[in-house]
Amino acid sequence: MIVLFIFIVLPLFSFFLTALIGKPGGVYVFIKYRTVTFTLRYYYNVLTQPYFRKSIFDTIILSLSVTALSFVLSLPISYALSRTSMPLKELIRVLLGLGISIPGFIVMYDLIVISTNVGFLPFSLYSYYGLLTVMTIASIPFMVMYVTLAFDNVDYRLIEAAYANGVSRVRTFFRVIMPLLMPGFVSGWVIVFLLTTGTLSVPLLLAPPTFPILTAYAYVQLFSFFNWGNAAALLSILLLINMTVIIAYSLYQKRLGFATIGGKGFHPRYTRNRAVIALLFVYSFIIGLLPIMEFIILALAAFSRFWVHSLLPSQYTLGNFYAAFQLYPFAPYASLILSSSAAVLAILISFISTYYTRMGLVRGKRLIDVLTLIIFSLSPVMIGITYLSTFSNDITASLINTFPIAVILGYTFGRIGYSTRALDISVNSISKSLFEAADIMGEGLNKFRSVILPLIMPGIIEGFLLVFIRSMIDYGTTVMLAPYNWATLALGSYAFVSTGEIPEGAALALIILIINLPVMTYLYYRRGRTFHEALLV
């Protein structure tokens, strides 16, 4: 509880203080000077000035658009995976699962390469439609998971029971089918909405002046104009929007007044129409190939020496990797060290908050759940500015400027929800009688090592890998908190691409995928179909 208070509650308090006083330092400034002047001027600015208001409005519009479009595109795939005898379903599941480890900025790189060298995009990439395209492609794997879960949880016997009792098809659809599908649908909508509102890397490069995005505009306010007050006020409004969505989702879950889990298993009713199955297979396979195509395009760009207005590069070289490592020689090690450290720390904290509350040795599970809920509403850029405003003072500035402590903490608490959820599933699936039997068998370390640890190891591995993968592709937290000599692969890659050096940026990004894709494949096969449960809010 002390750890969660220090590294979640206290930074959030400092963050809101920054928005009220216009200076970093948060609690430290408040304690040191005592007579701090509070003002609502920065909130007044962002709520009254047209361009600030437009950034808030456009962010909501983009997030809703990405959520709606990714849902529409994912619906046929999820139906095919759950309700048809379509061939190669497991392969398509794996391919789409790999897309989770491919961040939006890599999708953006690929589309920049395509629009530059092939040029078949019907719109400018640096526009609302470019943003919509990139973020939708990056969001489809997440949406497919949740929508597929929704279809998997529908027992067709309930539908047949409605028909047998004389209920019309229309009424059955709205009173039986949709209530069963909606929990999974809403989970997907919430996750994609939060991922879109919190994205920094894509809008920072693609958002045009006529369509400002809140995260990118807050970043510009901070690092271009050094206006801490406006940046914190903008992001606190984004936090309020995300919290509203999360709270509404939680209330919706509590209001669900039915359960569909019975004492017997059930088999879904499959669609047998061959023409429908063929169409769904072609569509699903094409979408499923997107992660592979993204990898191939990135690899071609990374090894290309000359690639202009042609389908493939005309010359290949290893020089892009050499040039990239000349400027960022420590980037691969920094990414591995920071991501692994964050994953270990997240697992340790999650273990305490799940295992010991399960055993009744630690109280306050409801408060921990509330804090986890808050974490899910914090995007990486919000985590970054929160810790930046907390540690930017005379005492703790070295945690940002010299040592990578702040970025590890940012990774940890920005993604601790993944590890907590994974461990929670493993711990709660174990009968408490097994823990009691362990008490009888032995004491202390031996009991933990021989009985408890093997039982919760699947959750530990899954939580570690999820935090590791999502930390490897983090840009928002890293650009805010990482010392210069601890630049990661994501940071170096984006720096190259933002200055027009696409091949060098692609080289560093390719290394990210070479690390992440095998890890994601292993994670999928370890947990099978249900590994996505660890991503649930």
Side-chain angles (χ1 to χ4, degrees):
M1 296 298 292
I2 293 174
V3 169
L4 294 176
F5 177 81
I6 292 175
F7 294 110
I8 297 177
V9 178
L10 202 59
L12 280 174
F13 184 63
S14 297
F15 170 64
F16 285 109
L17 276 180
T18 300
L20 292 174
I21 64 179
K23 297 178 182 178
V27 175
Y28 173 79
V29 172
F30 182 73
I31 295 174
K32 181 178 180 179
Y33 297 103
R34 296 185 182 179
T35 57
V36 175
T37 302
F38 294 98
T39 178
L40 294 176
R41 174 165 58 94
Y42 303 107
Y43 284 104
Y44 180 81
N45 287 341
V46 301
L47 292 175
T48 57
Q49 292 186 17
Y51 200 72
F52 285 121
R53 284 190 303 173
K54 183 172 173 55
S55 69
I56 299 171
F57 177 77
D58 288 349
T59 299
I60 296 174
I61 291 297
L62 177 65
S63 300
L64 291 175
S65 301
V66 171
T67 302
L69 183 58
S70 61
F71 175 70
V72 171
L73 294 175
S74 301
L75 201 58
I77 304 173
S78 299
Y79 181 83
L81 292 174
S82 180
R83 294 298 176 182
T84 72
S85 55
M86 180 179 70
L88 301 180
K89 287 201 293 186
E90 287 305 312
L91 175 61
I92 294 173
R93 285 179 186 269
V94 172
L95 293 176
L96 288 169
L98 294 179
I100 292 176
S101 62
I102 301 179
F105 65 80
I106 289 182
V107 178
M108 176 180 66
Y109 297 173
D110 290 338
L111 289 181
I112 289 175
V113 171
I114 290 173
S115 63
T116 302
N117 300 316
V118 182
F120 69 83
L121 292 180
F123 49 81
S124 170
L125 192 59
Y126 302 91
S127 65
Y128 162 76
Y129 296 104
L131 289 168
L132 180 62
T133 301
V134 170
M135 293 187 181
T136 298
I137 293 174
S139 300
I140 285 176
F142 291 93
M143 188 65 79
V144 168
M145 283 187 177
Y146 291 99
V147 177
T148 303
L149 178 63
F151 281 115
D152 286 341
N153 286 339
V154 175
D155 187 348
Y156 198 80
R157 293 175 303 179
L158 300 175
I159 302 172
E160 291 176 335
Y163 292 155
N165 282 277
V167 182
S168 67
R169 290 185 176 273
V170 174
R171 187 174 175 83
T172 299
F173 177 80
F174 286 104
R175 296 299 299 273
V176 179
I177 298 175
M178 285 307 295
L180 295 175
L181 292 174
M182 284 305 293
F185 287 177
V186 174
S187 295
W189 298 344
V190 170
I191 289 295
V192 171
F193 182 88
L194 294 178
L195 289 173
T196 306
T197 58
T199 300
L200 173 64
S201 56
V202 176
L204 196 59
L205 193 60
L206 298 186
T210 56
F211 199 84
I213 300 301
L214 201 152
T215 51
Y217 202 49
Y219 179 87
V220 171
Q221 284 291 307
L222 181 58
F223 288 99
S224 295
F225 302 105
F226 305 104
N227 195 324
W228 284 85
N230 284 347
L234 277 169
L235 291 178
S236 61
I237 290 174
L238 179 60
L239 175 60
L240 179 62
I241 294 170
N242 288 351
M243 281 297 298
T244 302
V245 172
I246 288 287
I247 292 172
Y249 172 73
S250 300
L251 293 176
Y252 167 77
Q253 279 192 318
K254 290 181 180 179
R255 290 185 62 183
L256 293 177
F258 60 87
T260 61
I261 300 174
K264 298 180 180 180
F266 65 89
H267 296 283
R269 181 174 178 177
Y270 284 158
T271 296
R272 303 294 180 183
N273 189 303
R274 292 186 178 181
V276 172
I277 293 175
L279 288 173
L280 289 174
F281 170 73
V282 171
Y283 175 76
S284 301
F285 194 71
I286 291 173
I287 300 297
L289 285 177
L290 284 178
I292 301 300
M293 295 304 299
E294 291 161 11
F295 179 83
I296 292 173
I297 294 171
L298 191 70
L300 290 174
F303 287 101
S304 66
R305 175 181 300 207
F306 188 78
W307 191 4
V308 179
H309 302 301
S310 60
L311 187 61
L312 295 173
S314 56
Q315 297 179 22
Y316 296 90
T317 180
L318 292 173
N320 299 325
F321 292 89
Y322 177 76
F325 287 132
Q326 269 195 320
L327 193 56
Y328 297 100
F330 191 63
Y333 305 104
S335 294
L336 291 171
I337 292 171
L338 296 178
S339 299
S340 299
S341 301
V344 170
L345 185 57
I347 286 295
L348 290 175
I349 298 172
S350 298
F351 173 76
I352 295 172
S353 66
T354 54
Y355 172 71
Y356 285 103
T357 52
R358 166 74 168 167
M359 294 298 294
L361 301 176
V362 174
R363 296 183 180 180
K365 188 178 189 306
R366 185 166 297 180
L367 179 57
I368 292 174
D369 291 339
V370 170
L371 292 177
T372 303
L373 208 62
I374 294 173
I375 291 171
F376 267 108
S377 64
L378 293 172
S379 64
V381 67
M382 280 191 278
I383 288 282
I385 196 172
T386 296
Y387 278 66
L388 192 63
S389 63
T390 302
F391 296 122
S392 295
N393 57 65
D394 300 338
I395 298 176
T396 59
S398 61
L399 300 182
I400 300 173
N401 300 327
T402 306
F403 305 105
I405 304 301
V407 70
I408 292 175
L409 293 174
Y411 286 174
T412 300
F413 291 98
R415 291 162 184 85
I416 198 170
Y418 296 122
S419 56
T420 300
R421 181 61 181 170
L423 271 169
D424 194 53
I425 291 173
S426 289
V427 171
N428 287 328
S429 65
I430 300 170
S431 172
K432 200 168 182 177
S433 61
L434 293 176
F435 293 109
E436 295 171 351
D439 289 331
I440 298 173
M441 290 173 58
E443 295 292 337
L445 183 62
N446 183 57
K447 175 189 71 174
F448 178 81
R449 184 178 62 249
S450 59
V451 179
I452 298 173
L453 187 60
L455 294 175
I456 64 174
M457 184 55 70
I460 291 175
I461 293 175
E462 180 176 337
F464 178 90
L465 294 179
L466 284 170
V467 175
F468 176 85
I469 288 172
R470 299 304 295 176
S471 298
M472 282 287 295
I473 61 178
D474 183 285
Y475 177 77
T477 305
T478 312
V479 74
M480 295 277 191
L481 300 177
Y484 176 76
N485 57 339
W486 281 86
T488 63
L489 290 168
L491 200 62
S493 174
Y494 191 87
F496 277 122
V497 173
S498 62
T499 57
E501 300 170 277
I502 302 295
E504 292 82 358
L508 293 182
L510 182 63
I511 298 174
I512 296 176
L513 295 192
I514 290 173
I515 296 171
N516 271 5
L517 292 183
V519 173
M520 197 67 198
T521 304
Y522 170 77
L523 178 59
Y524 180 89
Y525 279 109
R526 184 173 184 87
R527 285 281 289 181
R529 289 185 175 184
T530 60
F531 84 98
H532 57 276
E533 291 175 358
L535 296 172
L536 287 172
V537 174

